[in-house]
Amino acid sequence: MSIELNEQQQMLARMVRDFAEREIRPHYKKWDELEEFPIEVMKKMGELGLLGIFVPEQYGGSGLSYAEYATVLMELGKVCGGIGLSVAAHNSLCTGHLYFHGNEAQKQKYLPKLASGEWIGAWGLTEANTGSDAMRMKTTAVQDGDYWVLNGTKNWITHGLSGDVAVVLIRTGELLDSNGITAFIIEKGTPGFSAVKIKDKLGVRASETAELIFDNVRIPKENVIGEVGHGFKQAMQILDGGRISIASLSCGIARGAFEASVKYAKEREQFGQPIAHFQAIGFKLADMATQIEAAELLTYQAAHKKDTHQAVTKEGAFAKYFASEVSVKCGNEAVQIMGGYGYTKEYPAEKFLRDAKLMTIGEGTSEIQKLVISREILK
């Protein structure tokens, strides 16, 4: 496989880079400070085709590859991890679940609205007491004629408040039964369905996070995705692709921290010369550059496997684990290189570090990635 960006990827990267500089960079500090989700920016990205990246054109999407999707997230991550996370969650989780597992009627109904940005999507698996241990979820769905009645809560849900539609994984069988979880489509405004914003996050503060609440929510059986009981298996497949999302975003955050560090090191003078000339700083930059290069290679390898319909569980975990840890290291080194200035919000280093930390937690912690990798290599 070739890891060189082709002409289309280069054009896409330039478009996203220009958009980010024009629409995101001037405002990202305000969004971060106020924990404000700029839904109008999401709508603009929908107009550019960035909210239905791998959705086929017949459903209003861009019909692009995972490699191109990775390129988009890398460019967004260089400017704002929060915006990048929202684009990732919308594309790979909600929209991706409907595209890869929905029936034709569901695709026709929801994908055009999601791909265009007319609707924002959410996806819910995690609960307050069940993160990686998803088969112990307590939220339940009980069939009542042609409807399902949902009760319980979901936590840490991106776009849980502003999302127009959510794909949620609900227990329809017994605890610990991998065939006892089902995926449902729930539209905003459905009686009994509400959300509460989660505030005071460390990072990715421009991306909205919420708790979803289900109080006797009645959902027609037509809103079941796939077969009853197949939700857990669907979710695991979606998370394989989602790990490519987080790896890509991690690479972007890491490169953003690196580029800011290079710029600062060239401008900041000590002892009569730019600090970039000091070996201690040069070695930090060399380590950052090497690790970012390796993370990008792992990420594009996973994207290539996904695009060519190969098994991607191990490669996605490789990329997500390594790239997320690299993003934290690069954010930390950026703060160190900028010294006291790096510790203030006047400079971008501290935000890169705060945004990076979620990458080692969301869509499977680093520890879970190592568990996945070890199981795959010991098969």
Side-chain angles (χ1 to χ4, degrees):
M1 79 174 198
S2 171
I3 53 84
E4 295 293 328
L5 296 185
N6 58 38
E7 185 176 351
Q8 180 165 306
Q9 287 172 308
Q10 291 175 21
M11 291 176 59
L12 182 63
R14 284 194 296 270
M15 180 191 77
V16 177
R17 193 178 309 133
D18 290 344
F19 179 87
E21 291 297 327
R22 183 177 66 254
E23 301 287 347
I24 299 174
R25 191 176 295 280
H27 311 292
Y28 77 87
K29 287 185 179 180
K30 181 192 74 171
W31 299 333
D32 180 70
E33 182 69 26
L34 300 177
E35 290 190 277
E36 178 183 339
F37 173 50
I39 195 167
E40 70 283 355
V41 172
M42 287 286 286
K43 300 286 187 180
K44 289 179 180 178
M45 286 191 283
E47 294 171 4
L48 292 176
L50 300 180
L51 297 188
I53 292 177
F54 44 74
V55 173
E57 293 180 10
Q58 70 186 88
Y59 301 115
S62 299
L64 300 178
S65 68
Y66 259 83
E68 289 158 327
Y69 173 53
T71 300
V72 168
L73 292 179
M74 288 179 189
E75 290 296 333
L76 291 173
K78 288 195 294 187
V79 179
C80 181
I83 301 300
L85 181 66
S86 279
V87 172
H90 177 95
N91 272 288
S92 74
L93 299 181
C94 179
T95 305
H97 201 135
L98 283 160
Y99 171 54
F100 289 113
H101 298 288
N103 59 38
E104 187 59 28
Q106 291 166 344
K107 292 178 183 180
Q108 292 283 357
K109 181 176 181 180
Y110 294 107
L111 291 181
K113 292 181 179 180
L114 289 165
S116 67
E118 178 185 349
W119 278 19
I120 302 298
W123 190 81
L125 174 64
T126 301
E127 298 181 3
N129 295 310
T130 57
S132 301
D133 191 11
M135 285 195 292
R136 293 184 192 272
M137 66 174 62
K138 295 181 179 179
T139 302
T140 59
V142 177
Q143 192 163 12
D144 180 18
D146 289 337
Y147 288 82
W148 288 83
V149 182
L150 282 53
N151 282 285
T153 62
K154 293 290 176 181
N155 213 8
W156 309 113
I157 308 306
T158 303
H159 306 148
L161 200 63
S162 296
D164 299 282
V165 63
V167 173
V168 293
L169 287 303
I170 308 288
R171 184 160 61 85
T172 52
E174 299 299 319
L175 280 174
L176 304 180
D177 181 4
S178 62
N179 293 312
I181 295 173
T182 302
F184 293 88
I185 304 167
I186 304 178
E187 294 184 21
K188 188 175 185 178
T190 301
F193 178 44
S194 61
V196 178
K197 183 176 180 178
I198 295 174
K199 300 179 180 179
D200 297 326
K201 296 182 297 181
L202 175 70
V204 293
R205 290 160 63 91
S207 180
E208 178 190 274
T209 310
E211 177 186 32
L212 301 183
I213 301 168
F214 310 96
D215 182 10
N216 290 315
V217 178
R218 293 179 66 82
I219 299 297
K221 64 181 181 180
E222 291 79 13
N223 284 31
V224 171
I225 300 178
E227 295 184 31
V228 173
H230 285 198
F232 184 77
K233 295 174 184 176
Q234 294 172 10
M236 293 304 101
Q237 292 173 19
I238 293 301
L239 287 174
D240 276 348
R243 288 169 185 148
I244 299 173
S245 300
I246 300 301
S248 305
L249 185 54
S250 297
C251 289
I253 293 171
R255 189 164 288 282
F258 169 72
E259 291 178 355
S261 298
V262 170
K263 182 176 184 294
Y264 181 88
K266 288 180 176 180
E267 295 174 351
R268 173 69 166 170
E269 290 192 0
Q270 291 285 275
F271 305 102
Q273 59 182 311
I275 64 172
H277 293 174
F278 297 125
Q279 191 177 75
I281 302 301
F283 279 12
K284 287 182 183 295
L285 297 173
D287 282 340
M288 292 166 78
T290 303
Q291 291 170 354
I292 292 167
E293 194 79 6
E296 289 178 351
L297 288 170
L298 282 172
T299 301
Y300 279 120
Q301 172 186 252
H304 172 73
K305 293 254 183 182
K306 182 73 173 175
D307 285 330
T308 52
H309 308 291
Q310 300 180 59
V312 75
T313 299
K314 181 176 66 177
E315 288 74 12
F318 277 159
K320 199 274 185 186
Y321 167 53
F322 187 77
S324 64
E325 294 291 339
V326 164
S327 69
V328 173
K329 291 176 184 177
C330 288
N332 189 53
E333 289 289 44
V335 172
Q336 194 71 17
I337 288 168
M338 296 184 195
Y341 291 110
Y343 204 65
T344 70
K345 291 188 177 182
E346 181 182 355
Y347 285 73
E350 61 85 32
K351 182 178 184 298
F352 283 123
L353 179 57
R354 288 188 290 109
D355 287 352
K357 188 56 202 165
L358 180 67
M359 303 302 110
T360 68
I361 299 170
E363 296 198 39
T365 63
S366 290
E367 291 75 18
I368 288 295
Q369 303 314 310
K370 288 192 277 189
L371 182 63
V372 171
I373 292 166
S374 64
R375 285 175 174 173
E376 287 293 310
I377 63 179
L378 291 173
K379 278 184 177 179

